Amino acid sequence: GSTTTTINVADGTSPISAIAKANMPAVVSIVNNSSTTYNDVFFGRNYTQETKASGSGVIISTDGYIVTNYHVISDAKEITVLLTDDRTFTAQSVGYDAVSDLAVLHINAQDLTPARFGNSDSLRVGDTVVAIGDPLGVEFRGTYTNGIVSAINRDVEVNGRTMTLIQTNAAPVSY
């Protein structure tokens, strides 16, 4: 059966701001602390460079499961998650799929507010979509953009694997 997600829109409020308000607690900032060791052939020694990468994630359960992009957490030595209430957690990678660029993390937290998802089977071309994320680091937390569903069931091949995707014109807010 189909399910419906309802978000109440107060008089004088745009649906986009109502969606943002309802889902803001579910969007997290992710910092990937990693290191890379290089072999300097000229001087005959190794050196290690510490790096940090950042991106966004979405809480999908009250008990700490989070979805993010695989490229945000790849090669991580330590993954830090920052919630909208400024609490910080160390996350563990539960699993990932590099080809589809998806990863699942877990933090030891309870009573979290998961994102409210709609039913993609109910989407129509022209429906409004909202992208929420933390692009370019925690300095840009809570960035929102909107657009429309441009196409449904777009087959895209990546590394020999075909994925069926929803195309939108909403600007991406997670890198």
Side-chain angles (χ1 to χ4, degrees):
S2 74
T3 58
T4 302
T5 297
T6 303
I7 295 176
N8 295 324
V9 180
D11 288 342
T13 303
S14 80
I16 294 167
S17 64
I19 292 167
K21 181 179 179 183
N23 286 287
M24 189 181 321
V27 179
V28 300
S29 295
I30 298 172
V31 176
N32 170 348
N33 298 299
S34 61
S35 61
T36 305
T37 301
Y38 298 95
N39 182 3
D40 187 337
V41 178
F42 187 72
F43 291 106
R45 63 179 177 221
N46 292 335
Y47 63 96
T48 302
Q49 180 179 8
E50 300 293 324
T51 57
K52 281 189 175 188
S54 61
S56 302
V58 178
I59 297 170
I60 59 170
S61 70
T62 59
D63 59 346
Y65 287 92
I66 297 167
V67 172
T68 188
N69 294 109
Y70 172 70
H71 73 264
V72 171
I73 60 116
S74 64
D75 300 321
K77 186 168 65 174
E78 182 181 67
I79 303 167
T80 304
V81 172
L82 177 65
L83 305 184
T84 56
D85 63 9
D86 291 328
R87 287 185 292 161
T88 302
F89 295 88
T90 299
Q92 290 74 44
S93 175
V94 174
Y96 62 86
D97 179 33
V99 175
S100 61
D101 195 27
L102 290 174
V104 177
L105 307 176
H106 185 260
I107 59 174
N108 288 323
Q110 297 295 320
D111 300 322
L112 298 174
T113 302
R116 297 174 65 183
F117 293 97
N119 182 346
S120 62
D121 291 337
S122 302
L123 276 179
R124 297 176 311 229
V125 171
D127 281 352
T128 298
V129 291
V130 178
I132 308 170
D134 299 351
L136 306 175
V138 296
E139 298 83 8
F140 295 94
R141 282 175 31 181
T143 298
Y144 303 89
T145 185
N146 73 309
I148 62 167
V149 174
S150 304
I152 298 171
N153 297 324
R154 286 279 195 228
D155 287 337
V156 176
E157 187 175 321
V158 177
N159 297 328
R161 181 175 174 186
T162 301
M163 295 180 283
T164 303
L165 305 174
I166 300 164
Q167 180 183 350
T168 76
N169 70 340
V173 293
S174 175
Y175 299 101

